[in-house]
């Protein structure tokens, strides 16, 4: 399985998974791979504080084109994961020279799944953009394709306790990861003097009480899977034996009364108000503090929140720390080095982190009383060697193509591929450059997909003919869109039209009466002599064949209410 996270939090997520009992845990870039059963997958979704989503790979293969991707997806035994009555959604992540557009990858995977069911049952599952029964994740690196079931659904950062938020709230997963990087586990007081909507305060309370962050969520995607074990999940969900008492206090504050009010609502929603104390005051008013503790805060960067004088704000943070937080460890996440310089303190460690699209830095400041020389003489140190070990980008092991093929073959055993599809062979198909002009008009059909405007041709020719001997046309049992095709009516090639004999050629002499008479007839039928594009079909017979626009599905709520 694969657990996704933010860059810089991979080591924290690794430790969480090991504590849950995961095996063969390996770090990657913004992810951690591990092995385990369904029980571990349930626990990872419910308990991991730094995971964004938990993916369960179902197939791995190589593909050098979107057509080959389509064929591989179509050959998979999808009945293992969904039924023809299921709804599904697809999320694609692509980093490849062969596949340049993630949305087109999504379309081709959707087509492969739909045609797999159409071939067997004459109908197909429906796309549903939100709340689908099965959510798929497609990851392509170069020509290596991994298709996974998303067991989480909505990102796990959406805990479910946030009822309101300020203008620039920090992500819950990032907040929990920062706290866990400090090493704090509820063994001292905790302070956030610029709490905003209270994310650090709530995540600190969950850590201190060892409360699972997933208990607030209404559902996970795996609850709709065919093999979902409801009894096992309810047993895991209701087990609070690991929760513990918190002997200290979590303090939060903000200069904005509105922010304090929002934080109070969120804290009450998370049911941790007995652990958190809120005050409305500026950072310079934090003068009465316990002898030691942990401060974690996220000051404004000047990007979305713009204080009147941001340099003065950082300067006041530094002076407050030096004067009133002696004996504390202060952790500050910021964006610009010049703002950190205004604090006027030497950080013991710098950890690169991403906050959204911003490349930020998490810095620790060890506060002490008196001069630094006296502090060092007494054996004190501001260094943090344990934190330094986890700095820097993670090295991702890149296996060779042959090794990846072997791993994919081993992984795919029993996944529904026939033996000849597992072997590497040349790819050939006859519709790589197909022309819609050669397809009879009456064979265009609604794609039977409420999520996409437009229509697609019924037949998708490829190198494999249908076993029933009909060759090109795969969906000849489906009703055509619009008026039924009449016998002999269609869109033959130009050569066929010329040889058919049922239409007289134009005479080129402008003065010829027959030519003028035919021109008048054609103008009355929609012919436009200004662009000389030939006669046009009436609007009732026009067919749209380019399915690029998506429209909002209507009637879900109505159908759900009826159900």
């Amino acid at each position: 399985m694969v657990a996704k996270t933010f860059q810089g939090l991979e080591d924290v997520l690794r430790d969480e998974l090991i504590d849950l009992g995961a095996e063969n845990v390996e770090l990657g870039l913004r992810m951690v791979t591990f092995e385990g059963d369904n029980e571990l997958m349930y626990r990872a979704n419910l308990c991991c504080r730094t995971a964004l989503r938990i993916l369960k790979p179902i197939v791995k293969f190589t593909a050098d084109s979107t057509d080959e991707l389509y064929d591989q997806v179509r050959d998979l035994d999808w009945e293992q994961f969904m039924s023809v009555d299921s709804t599904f959604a697809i999320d694609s992540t692509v980093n490849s020279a062969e596949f340049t557009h993630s949305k087109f990858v999504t379309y081709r995977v959707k087509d492969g799944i739909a045609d797999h069911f159409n071939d067997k049952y004459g109908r197909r599952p429906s796309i549903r953009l939100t709340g689908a029964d099965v959510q798929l994740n497609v990851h392509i690196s170069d020509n290596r394709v991994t298709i996974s079931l998303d067991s989480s659904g909505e990102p796990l950062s959406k805990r479910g306790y946030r009822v309101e938020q300020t203008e620039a709230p920090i992500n819950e997963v990032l907040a929990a990861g920062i706290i866990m990087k400090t090493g704090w586990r509820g063994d001292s007081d905790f302070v956030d003097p610029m709490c905003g909507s209270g994310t650090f305060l709530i995540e600190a309370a969950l850590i201190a009480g060892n409360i699972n962050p997933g208990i607030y969520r209404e559902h996970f995607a795996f609850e709709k899977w065919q093999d979902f074990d409801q009894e096992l999940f309810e047993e895991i969900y209701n087990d609070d034996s690991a929760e513990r008492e918190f002997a200290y206090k979590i303090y939060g504050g903000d200069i904005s009364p509105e922010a304090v009010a929002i934080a109070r609502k969120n804290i009450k929603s998370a049911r941790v108000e007995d652990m958190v104390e809120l005050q409305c005051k500026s950072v310079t008013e934090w003068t009465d503090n316990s002898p030691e503790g942990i401060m974690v805060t996220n000051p404004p960067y000047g990007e979305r929140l713009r204080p009147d004088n941001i340099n003065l704000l950082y300067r006041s943070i530094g002076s407050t720390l030096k004067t009133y937080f002696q004996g504390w460890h202060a952790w500050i996440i910021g964006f610009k080095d010049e703002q950190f310089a205004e604090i006027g303190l030497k950080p013991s460690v710098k950890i690169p982190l991403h906050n959204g699209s911003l490349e930020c830095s998490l810095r620790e400041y060890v506060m002490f009383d008196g001069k630094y020389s006296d502090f060092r003489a007494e054996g004190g140190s501001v260094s943090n060697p344990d934190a330094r070990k986890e700095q820097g980008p993670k090295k991702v092991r890149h296996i060779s193509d042959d090794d990846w093929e072997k791993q994919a073959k081993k992984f795919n055993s029993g996944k529904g591929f026939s033996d000849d599809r597992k072997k590497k062979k040349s790819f050939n198909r006859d519709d790589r450059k197909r022309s819609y002009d050669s397809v009879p008009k009456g064979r265009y059909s609604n794609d039977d997909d409420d999520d996409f405007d437009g229509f697609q041709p019924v037949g998708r020719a490829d190198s494999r003919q249908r076993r029933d001997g009909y060759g090109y046309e795969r969906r000849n049992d489906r009703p055509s869109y619009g008026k039924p095709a009449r016998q002999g009516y269609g869109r033959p090639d130009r050569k066929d039209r010329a040889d058919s004999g049922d239409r007289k050629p134009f005479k080129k002499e402008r003065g010829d009466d027959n030519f003028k008479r035919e021109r008048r007839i054609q103008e009355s039928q929609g012919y436009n002599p200004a662009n000389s594009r030939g006669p046009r079909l009436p609007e009732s017979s026009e067919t749209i064949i380019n399915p690029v626009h998506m429209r909002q599905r209507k009637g879900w709520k109505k159908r759900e209410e009826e159900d």
Side-chain angles (χ1 to χ4, degrees):
M1 285 182 276
V2 176
K4 304 287 288 184
T5 188
F6 288 114
Q7 185 172 344
L9 300 183
E10 299 91 343
D11 56 302
V12 181
L13 179 55
R14 172 202 59 198
D15 295 342
E16 285 193 279
L17 291 168
I18 292 175
D19 290 341
L20 292 176
E23 298 178 348
N24 297 328
V25 182
E26 293 187 9
L27 290 178
L29 182 62
R30 296 187 294 274
M31 70 173 188
V32 179
T33 61
F34 64 101
E35 294 180 3
D37 54 12
N38 279 350
E39 180 179 354
L40 180 64
M41 183 185 67
Y42 297 163
R43 291 188 183 277
N45 277 282
L46 189 68
C47 305
C48 283
R49 306 180 191 280
T50 56
L52 289 168
R53 58 181 72 249
I54 307 296
L55 305 178
K56 183 179 181 180
I58 58 176
V59 68
K60 298 180 180 181
F61 56 86
T62 57
D64 296 316
S65 68
T66 54
D67 287 332
E68 189 172 358
L69 171 68
Y70 163 83
D71 282 337
Q72 294 271 21
V73 171
R74 184 172 182 170
D75 286 344
L76 185 62
D77 183 13
W78 286 103
E79 285 80 358
Q80 297 182 53
F81 316 110
M82 67 175 75
S83 69
V84 71
D85 297 315
S86 303
T87 58
F88 69 101
I90 303 171
D91 177 53
S92 298
T93 303
V94 178
N95 182 18
S96 171
E98 291 81 9
F99 303 91
T100 57
H101 202 298
S102 61
K103 183 169 286 189
F104 188 60
V105 167
T106 299
Y107 279 123
R108 294 304 278 159
V109 173
K110 183 270 296 183
D111 288 342
I113 297 173
D115 289 346
H116 169 89
F117 283 95
N118 272 323
D119 287 345
K120 286 192 174 183
Y121 308 104
R123 59 193 186 96
R124 44 149 292 186
S126 298
I127 290 283
R128 188 168 184 177
L129 301 182
T130 58
D133 297 330
V134 177
Q135 300 193 37
L136 300 171
N137 180 276
V138 180
H139 182 272
I140 301 181
S141 178
D142 296 328
N143 66 341
R144 302 176 181 181
V145 182
T146 302
I147 300 179
S148 305
L149 295 175
D150 184 349
S151 68
S152 305
E154 281 193 319
L156 296 176
S157 57
K158 295 185 178 181
R159 310 286 204 217
Y161 60 68
R162 191 194 294 272
V163 294
E164 288 189 37
Q165 65 183 38
T166 53
E167 185 176 351
I170 192 168
N171 184 281
E172 290 88 338
V173 163
L174 180 58
I178 289 173
I179 296 172
M180 297 184 75
K181 272 188 171 292
T182 69
W184 186 83
R185 298 296 183 269
D187 46 7
S188 65
D189 285 349
F190 182 97
V191 166
D192 179 6
M194 290 173 279
C195 68
S197 57
T199 307
F200 274 126
L201 305 177
I202 298 172
E203 293 298 327
L206 299 182
I207 292 172
N210 202 29
I211 302 170
N212 294 328
I215 64 171
Y216 305 98
R217 286 173 63 105
E218 294 183 357
H219 66 273
F220 297 90
F222 61 74
E223 295 182 65
K224 295 184 178 180
W225 291 3
Q226 296 177 359
D227 63 346
F228 173 56
D229 189 338
Q230 183 174 356
E231 184 178 350
L232 174 61
F233 177 66
E234 288 182 355
E235 180 183 348
I236 297 172
Y237 181 89
N238 293 316
D239 182 13
D240 59 356
S241 58
E243 295 183 7
R244 56 179 178 247
E245 294 292 329
F246 179 47
Y248 297 90
K249 201 71 176 179
I250 297 171
Y251 299 95
D254 201 283
I255 196 172
S256 167
E258 181 183 359
V260 173
I262 292 174
R264 183 168 283 111
K265 291 180 182 179
N266 292 331
I267 291 168
K268 185 176 181 180
S269 174
R271 298 186 292 278
V272 293
E273 59 267 30
D274 59 328
M275 304 167 66
V276 182
E277 184 177 313
L278 278 174
Q279 300 179 54
C280 182
K281 59 182 180 181
S282 70
V283 67
T284 58
E285 297 178 277
W286 287 84
T287 58
D288 186 16
N289 306 299
S290 57
E292 60 181 12
I294 290 286
M295 173 195 285
V296 179
T297 193
N298 178 33
Y301 306 157
E303 299 297 312
R304 287 185 290 178
L305 297 179
R306 299 178 181 273
D308 295 335
N309 191 331
I310 193 166
N311 290 335
L312 179 60
L313 172 63
Y314 278 80
R315 210 172 300 139
S316 63
I317 293 174
S319 60
T320 301
L321 289 177
K322 286 182 284 188
T323 307
Y324 302 111
F325 283 90
Q326 296 160 0
W328 284 61
H329 289 248
W331 293 78
I332 300 175
I333 180 172
F335 177 46
K336 297 179 180 179
D337 289 337
E338 54 267 28
Q339 294 168 356
F340 277 114
E342 294 291 338
I343 295 177
L345 298 171
K346 180 182 179 180
S348 59
V349 64
K350 301 177 183 179
I351 301 176
L353 289 175
H354 279 73
N355 187 0
S357 60
L358 301 178
E359 296 182 4
C360 297
S361 176
L362 175 64
R363 304 189 182 187
E364 180 195 25
Y365 299 92
V366 179
M367 309 310 301
F368 53 87
D369 188 11
K371 296 181 179 180
Y372 180 66
S373 57
D374 297 337
F375 174 69
R376 288 291 303 274
E378 295 175 359
S381 174
V382 296
S383 63
N384 191 337
D386 293 335
R388 288 185 180 277
K389 292 179 182 178
E390 303 295 352
Q391 287 191 68
K394 305 295 180 294
K395 294 182 179 179
V396 181
R397 184 171 63 91
H398 186 80
I399 63 175
S400 65
D401 292 339
D402 291 339
D403 289 341
W404 198 88
E405 288 278 3
K406 293 178 182 177
Q407 290 184 12
K409 183 177 180 180
K410 180 180 179 181
F411 183 84
N412 295 338
S413 59
K415 291 293 193 304
F417 281 119
S418 58
D419 292 339
D420 58 337
R421 295 298 292 172
K422 294 179 183 179
K423 300 176 183 178
K424 184 73 174 178
K425 63 179 182 178
S426 59
F427 179 74
N428 181 32
R429 61 188 291 137
D430 57 5
D431 65 337
R432 190 179 299 278
K433 295 182 179 180
R434 63 179 181 269
S435 172
Y436 290 113
D437 291 339
S438 63
V439 182
K441 173 190 170 185
R443 292 182 182 177
Y444 282 88
S445 171
N446 191 337
D447 191 36
D448 215 18
D449 183 357
D450 294 337
D451 304 294
F452 301 98
D453 284 337
F455 305 91
Q456 292 181 341
V458 167
R460 281 192 178 88
D462 62 8
S463 60
R464 304 180 310 280
Q465 291 189 346
R466 286 183 59 125
R467 296 183 180 87
D468 56 13
Y470 286 104
Y472 183 139
E473 185 175 347
R474 283 204 178 104
R475 305 186 199 172
N476 56 352
D477 57 338
R478 297 176 64 190
S480 59
Y481 180 79
K483 296 181 180 179
R486 298 191 300 272
Q487 183 69 26
Y489 181 81
R491 294 175 58 191
D493 292 336
R494 292 181 180 180
K495 181 179 179 181
D496 296 335
R497 280 205 307 264
D499 295 341
S500 63
D502 57 354
R503 172 176 165 179
K504 295 181 180 180
F506 291 133
K507 293 184 179 181
K508 296 183 179 179
E509 294 79 13
R510 291 277 178 178
D512 189 271
D513 292 338
N514 292 333
F515 177 83
K516 292 180 179 179
R517 184 169 57 256
E518 292 185 14
R519 171 62 65 84
R520 286 194 298 271
I521 294 173
Q522 291 165 13
E523 288 179 357
S524 66
Q525 294 177 349
Y527 174 68
N528 185 358
N531 54 27
S532 300
R533 291 179 181 173
R536 294 182 176 179
L537 294 173
E539 291 184 2
S540 60
S541 299
E542 289 182 357
T543 303
I544 303 172
I545 62 174
N546 203 9
V548 293
H549 298 294
M550 300 178 65
R551 64 173 181 238
Q552 183 179 4
R553 287 178 60 91
K554 297 180 180 179
W556 290 343
K557 295 183 178 179
K558 183 178 180 181
R559 285 199 297 269
E560 290 173 356
E561 292 173 357
E562 291 175 355
D563 293 340

